[in-house]
Amino acid sequence: AQTVTQSQPEMSVQEAETVTLSCTYDTSESDYYLFWYKQPPSRQMILVIRQEAYKQQNATENRFSVNFQKAAKSFSLKISDSQLGDAAMYFCAYRRGDDYKLSFGAGTTVTVRA
Amino acid sequence: SQTIHQWPATLVQPVGSPLSLECTVEGTSNPNLYWYRQAAGRGLQLLFYSVGIGQISSEVPQNLSASRPQDRQFILSSKKLLLSDSGFYLCAWSVRLVGGNEQFFGPGTRLTVL
């Protein structure tokens, strides 16, 4: 079974600064997808960014970018120019290419200081 | 556009009582459907998924069951609730294709078993 590990239970960042969330995963597959989801206090899960394992280029979505290190099985999320609305719990998730199921990490709570 | 609904939003039930949580999806056909549970401060655990009407796969042994009576309706049930069933229940859907299709989550149901 695939495991996803988020080693930082909590992270704090000053508004307008940058924070990086770590995620590592364990798999023997070559075809898979990685995701970062955001869960604000409303508890609604929102997709932040997606990375295909076969792509070498790191995905970016506005202020959100990832550092995908396939050999190290690492998938970190960088939030630049942090805003108060970025405060949430962030989950890293893995899905095998030919499967439907997502495996989630335990999450990292991000606090943004004004 | 596609939308996903869950109800009720919150529920308080006594131990031993039955449970029925409903999830419906609009704006898409033949979706994959999923039920997740999130314990307080924890990640998401996949409980059930369905690739079609009447087709249910269970991921973990438990006293919960799921049914899919219609293409876009997914129901989570229990005959007798346990204290350990308390948590936040999320329904999700995805398109029925392999590839980088992400899962889209509903607003969730907070269940408290007393």
Side-chain angles (χ1 to χ4, degrees), chain B residues 9-15 17 19 21 81-89 109-114:
Chain B
T10 59
L11 189 61
V12 180
Q13 291 285 95
V15 169
S17 64
L19 172 74
L21 302 182
L81 283 168
L82 306 173
L83 287 174
S84 58
D85 291 324
S86 292
F88 190 66
Y89 289 83
T109 294
R110 183 184 301 278
L111 172 65
T112 303
V113 182
L114 301 175

Side-chain angles (χ1 to χ4, degrees), chain B residues 52-72:
Chain B
I53 296 174
Q55 301 179 60
I56 309 294
S57 296
S58 174
E59 288 297 299
V60 293
Q62 58 211 320
N63 71 321
L64 299 172
S65 62
S67 62
R68 185 169 177 173
Q70 300 180 46
D71 180 46
R72 290 169 289 179

